[in-house]
Amino acid sequence: MSAADPRLTPLVQSLPATVPFTGPEALERRAGLPFRARLGANESVFGPSPRAIAAMREAAAEAWKYGDPESHDLRAALAQAHDIAPENIVVGAGIDGLLDSLVRLTVAPGTPVVASAGSYPTFAYHVAGYGGTLVPVPYTADHEDPDRLIARAAETGARLIYLSNPDNPMGSWHDAATIQRMIEAVPDHALLVLDEAYIDFAPPGTAPAIDPLDPRVIRMRTFSKAHGLAGARVGYAIGQAGLIAAFHKVRNHFGMSRAAQAGALAALADPDWLADVLARVGDARDRITRIAADNALTALPSATNFVAVDCGADGRFARKVLDNLGRDGVFVRMPFVAPQDRCIRITVGRPEDLELLSEALPRALAAARHDAEEP
Amino acid sequence: MSAADPRLTPLVQSLPATVPFTGPEALERRAGLPFRARLGANESVFGPSPRAIAAMREAAAEAWKYGDPESHDLRAALAQAHDIAPENIVVGAGIDGLLDSLVRLTVAPGTPVVASAGSYPTFAYHVAGYGGTLVPVPYTADHEDPDRLIARAAETGARLIYLSNPDNPMGSWHDAATIQRMIEAVPDHALLVLDEAYIDFAPPGTAPAIDPLDPRVIRMRTFSKAHGLAGARVGYAIGQAGLIAAFHKVRNHFGMSRAAQAGALAALADPDWLADVLARVGDARDRITRIAADNALTALPSATNFVAVDCGADGRFARKVLDNLGRDGVFVRMPFVAPQDRCIRITVGRPEDLELLSEALPRALAAARHDAEEP
């Protein structure tokens, strides 16, 4: 019906009915039973700061008030934290919402956009949604390839170049000097979309210095990962003031949850909690690496809150392992482009979550190998 | 910078830097003091259901989980409440967010859209944001004019026809039979956007029956008004399944706050609270009408949680009254098109809020008249 509805734009009529991700709740409804370990969406199972929880609880009774459309207090705190001006920051409903606005601002039907094949599906979803043409660049040794991304952008006249550092879904990363060289190489017609959703988990020296006067890059940050506020939907973009001002021409000004604004502000003021989470994430990454080794699998190095584990065969095999884990109550996801799809992507969990993983993984592997041996 | 940035689409470069509304917090920051009575944004000062508050407080600790992108439980409850299928409902970040998606789905540069001159600015903002051409139709006796809206849509080949019933900013309304006749008269090329944000406050017989098979109309509902959850950002659209399916091709699937989903679900399950709020809204409307009469002003009949008060002169005079009220700590808004701009729009408040209004209004009127008498 909708595809044939002449009241829809030709672009919309041409769009597929696919979604970037199926949520874990939908998978649970299909399976008819809840997951025992939620390790698939790179959420922070350690939860948000108690200060953020308290702030959101306090804000609940004030939910009758719209949130401040300017997110003034949050932007002021973020500006101070990054030593930039509030005019360099736009707050939105997660990086997903900000990517939607950014693509809308820059991509018209047919506009070329460069991204790594198999990188963030939601970015590709927005590019397709505005009629852009995605130019895929393969990973190099499980890393996004800055030089090839820049080269393809120059060849195609791309408007946007998307790179996540650290990378999702592989967990790999480049150092700040490499990223800075990439920024310097951005063609005049292009803008580098530097998705730093996982930057809090990365080693020092991963993020280049923020230059609020640099027109060549826009940085995306979020409270959904290290700050444990995925369900609150708070992200922000950092860029040149003129570029940030363009967001205000199209964004949903009253789109922010008031409680989410309060929660993010409180989370920002609790660096001790963040440090504690980062320590627990490090321990959990090590544990996942050991669990992989115990099963004769290789865990890839990670600068994020998840670990890509090489299942040692092809994507079909990894998919079987993932499905088997899911049937066993352990929710994980996986890359969807070869050869990265030889891996499953496991979000860090609490010790009890990873204990379930350690029990389920051998069973999942054995069943997948048994299937593979069948004629 | 942004206007000249060649990386922005020509459409975006052509957009003005205006916003639909300036938030009360921004007005407070400019004035350097907080409002004593927040009666300008049609929020429900009576607050959300205690059950909704409890649900959001409980959800705060779970904020590390993304919300269900399908809003399954909320859609199921809404479907039951309206005796339709979940496939006829899409949940979004308030009606503002849903209008953004709807305009994106249907409006290309140059596409004509019909709405009443002076009706909801955020709808006009989205139409402009996607390059649509807004065809304004004047109010008739402070009511939106269904016949003229339909006629102009037929003349212009409009893709969308926007009508709010009850109407914002005037508070006027049409009965269900009148709206049903309008639905029947929608041209084939068009879709009626029936914004029913205030329908809970209207007398019985204001909303036509919902026909989930009717392709000519999409209904917009919200938890921001009677349910007192403006700060949570939960709205929903009801329409033919094919049209609703189109939203899923472009919407931000993980854009809903998890706590907001829980709060809306709990609010829906507390009809007693809703009934209590409606009773208090009715009393407050009467009180505002008396306050207007005490000042020799006419309050227009209202089927909403606000009252348009005719200040008895032109828009310039009403603006002075509004500014004076603001300086006195009473936040109200006003229509922005003549002759409706002879009114100020006062949201219903608690007795203490309206006491402040009753004290401030005579002063505001006297000062405005004094200014008017100056040469």
Side-chain angles (χ1 to χ4, degrees), chain B residues 171-242:
Chain B
S172 56
W173 69 103
H174 294 288
D175 63 21
T178 302
I179 301 299
Q180 188 58 44
R181 279 196 301 275
M182 184 181 186
I183 294 171
E184 307 291 341
V186 170
D188 288 344
H189 51 72
L191 174 68
L192 174 62
V193 186
L194 181 56
D195 184 340
E196 298 182 313
Y198 297 95
I199 195 67
D200 296 312
F201 305 110
T206 303
I210 292 174
D211 176 1
L213 297 181
D214 193 331
R216 299 167 298 189
V217 61
I218 185 165
R219 322 268 291 245
M220 298 283 179
R221 302 285 182 101
T222 184
F223 284 87
S224 298
K225 303 305 177 184
H227 286 294
L229 290 170
R233 315 314 297 124
V234 188
Y236 58 104
I238 302 172
Q240 197 181 38

Side-chain angles (χ1 to χ4, degrees), chain A residues 1-17 129, chain B residues 90 98-109 111-113 130 157-160 187-193 215-218 220 239-251:
Chain A
M1 171 62 215
S2 86
D5 190 335
R7 297 168 305 179
L8 300 175
T9 66
L11 170 60
V12 170
Q13 293 185 44
S14 74
L15 295 176
Chain B
V90 57
L98 291 161
L99 288 174
D100 184 335
S101 295
L102 177 63
V103 173
R104 177 179 170 185
L105 289 173
T106 56
V107 172
T111 301
V113 172
Y130 289 100
R159 190 69 53 87
L160 297 177
D188 288 344
H189 51 72
L191 174 68
L192 174 62
V193 186
R216 299 167 298 189
V217 61
I218 185 165
M220 298 283 179
Q240 197 181 38
L243 177 62
I244 295 303
F247 281 79
H248 303 317
K249 295 178 167 188
V250 302
R251 70 183 180 91

Side-chain angles (χ1 to χ4, degrees), chain A residues 93-94 96-98 100 122 125-126 233, chain B residues 250-256:
Chain A
D96 285 2
L98 291 161
D100 184 336
T122 302
Y125 168 81
H126 290 312
R233 315 314 297 122
Chain B
V250 302
R251 70 183 180 91
N252 182 3
H253 286 268
F254 286 83
M256 291 299 297

Side-chain angles (χ1 to χ4, degrees), chain B residues 33 43 45 56 70 82 127 139 166 191 202 271 275 306 321 343 358:
Chain B
L33 80 169
E43 297 161 324
V45 69
M56 291 187 288
E70 299 178 3
H82 292 296
V127 171
Y139 280 67
L191 174 68
F306 60 87
V321 175
C343 301
S358 69

